Amino acid sequence: MVQEKYIHTKDWWRESAQGIPQIITELPGPESSRMHTSTERYMKGLSSQVKLFPVCFSEGHGITLTDVDGNRYLDFSSGIYVTSLGHCHPKISEAISYWAKRLMNCHDFSTPVKEKLMEKMAAILPKGLNAIQLYSDGTTAVEAALRAARAIKNKHEFLAFYRDFHGKTMGAVSAAQMYRGDVQSYGPTRAPGFYMIPKPDPYRPLFKNAKGEIDTDAYINFYEEFLLEGTVGNVGCIVLEPAQGWAGSIFPPDDFVPKLRKWCDKHDFLLFADEVLAGMGRTGEWMTMSHWNTIPDIITFGKSFGNGFPVTAMVVKEEYGDALNKISASSSYGGNPMACAAALASIEVIEAESILENVRTVGKYFMKRMEKLVEDHPIVGHVKGKGFLLGIELVKDKNTKEPFVEAGKKVYQKAFAKGLAWIPAGHILRMSPPLIMDERYAAMGLDIIEQSISEVEKEYGYN
Ligand SMILES: Cc1ncc(COP(=O)(O)O)c(C=O)c1O
């Protein structure tokens, strides 16, 4: 039971974290197994994370998750990059329940809490990036951004980047990598007017200079050529996931985004930054784009924005605000009072609890420890990330860089069985710990991961 004295202090989550991880049954436990089997009878299309480790959760508090058998886990996933300020942050839960008892929905009429949220967002975002729409999931905010871009520029073509992810509706899917399985099962899904171009991945560069270093100018030159060869000259917007989450916590080289901004300005293209996953503190900034002092024309926020309550935002530059009238921007749930309360309280917590500073400091600690993994482990090819958006890339051979997908699955399962609730399912071990985490728990999670990597290396005969 969490004691009253911890509520509303920065340390509200510490008591419930005591003694984690605490595994008291074999995993998955008997009640998890029963519940998963019974749910799965009806619930289809589960993610690989669940399929690989089918436990069922009943409680979350701060950095701690408890399953239905009473096993307690250290959380390294924040839901799925969502509960970034910890599960059930008291201030945020209280703010949601206040409005749950007073006014749950009044379409897009204003409310006292919406007024405050609008002012707060305008205050934390760069000057002039303040024409806002609220939605209830990331994909819908992305769709709104795509429609807004068309309305602003009156152009219908988009360029988007290899391995970026934007959600699962038709527009969002069209601006992302196609899932091979889906393509086989229901045919090509990319909508007309969407084209994919490569983005520099520092570990796997496509274009290199004479010295063998990644060459960001060559990427821009390729885009220039692609405009002529691959489009009908009607491009209005470049769709960018500035820090790739789904693809494995991949950040482009530091000179890339400023060069891309310059290129967009040269052609009068809008730059749309999809920060549904990385925005609102996960990389140590409100906007990931701030790492490169670059302001997008359109930006989307989600996930951390409401710390678990479904609320997302699409923001365009003030000068484009009128275009939002053209896209019939309201939705049934977007900006309901509970949603606004969750988003407002989340931003206030980030400010009051110095969360950005914590992410920067503990993020450096994470990276330092992760870099040591590359030195010490034959299957750790590369580590990457900023703040609390982190990845460890597993390879069969450091020279060939062949992805080691089977090892990724095994490390995921082994670490989960030791009490680490986390995300990966491919060859990049993705980490998204709650932003309130300190070095002690960061070390605890990394120790579990390292031990699991060592066990897998042994199984595959590496020394
Ligand atoms: C960058 C990005 N954009 C959009 C989405 C879609 O958000 P949602 O799942 O809330 O619809 C995601 C989801 O992971 C995402 O990572």
Side-chain angles (χ1 to χ4, degrees), residues 25-216:
T25 68
E26 64 180 50
L27 292 180
E31 185 56 10
S32 271
S33 296
R34 185 204 63 73
M35 196 175 284
H36 175 76
T37 307
S38 123
T39 307
E40 202 193 18
R41 192 170 155 217
Y42 305 106
M43 181 101 195
K44 301 299 173 191
L46 296 171
S47 69
S48 51
Q49 284 101 332
V50 175
K51 286 181 187 152
L52 287 169
F53 211 88
V55 284
C56 305
F57 293 106
S58 55
E59 263 185 69
H61 192 270
I63 64 167
T64 306
L65 273 168
T66 306
D67 75 16
V68 288
D69 294 288
N71 298 299
R72 295 165 64 239
Y73 303 79
L74 169 63
D75 183 17
F76 251 45
S77 64
S78 307
I80 179 87
Y81 307 89
V82 170
T83 51
S84 293
L85 302 170
H87 294 276
C88 304
H89 190 293
K91 182 179 163 86
I92 302 164
S93 296
E94 207 174 279
I96 296 165
S97 69
Y98 176 93
W99 286 99
K101 289 182 213 145
R102 272 163 192 80
L103 179 65
M104 285 173 121
N105 197 304
C106 56
H107 190 212
D108 66 341
F109 287 93
S110 194
T111 56
V113 66
K114 187 184 281 180
E115 180 194 16
K116 280 198 186 138
L117 175 62
M118 293 298 109
E119 281 165 6
K120 181 56 92 181
M121 286 182 72
I124 62 167
L125 293 176
K127 200 166 173 289
L129 192 57
N130 61 12
I132 303 168
Q133 272 292 319
L134 297 173
Y135 293 93
S136 40
D137 62 45
T139 311
T140 321
V142 167
E143 290 291 337
L146 299 175
R147 288 186 299 128
R150 283 187 175 172
I152 293 164
K153 287 289 173 202
N154 206 17
K155 294 199 164 167
H156 74 272
E157 288 183 306
F158 294 90
L159 300 189
F161 293 96
Y162 292 2
R163 298 185 66 73
D164 280 4
F165 179 75
H166 304 289
K168 293 177 183 168
T169 53
M170 287 301 262
V173 165
S174 296
Q177 187 186 47
M178 299 279 118
Y179 297 99
R180 297 288 173 266
D182 289 0
V183 172
Q184 280 157 16
S185 56
Y186 62 85
T189 53
R190 203 179 302 292
F194 286 86
Y195 310 105
M196 304 303 290
I197 51 177
K199 176 153 82 172
D201 170 350
Y203 186 53
R204 298 178 184 278
L206 200 58
F207 299 127
K208 295 183 243 180
N209 62 21
K211 286 191 218 149
E213 294 157 349
I214 193 160
D215 184 349
T216 44

Side-chain angles (χ1 to χ4, degrees), residues 137-139 165-167 241 274 276-277 303:
D137 62 45
T139 311
F165 179 75
H166 304 289
E241 189 188 7
D274 176 4
V276 162
L277 184 142
K303 298 200 183 249

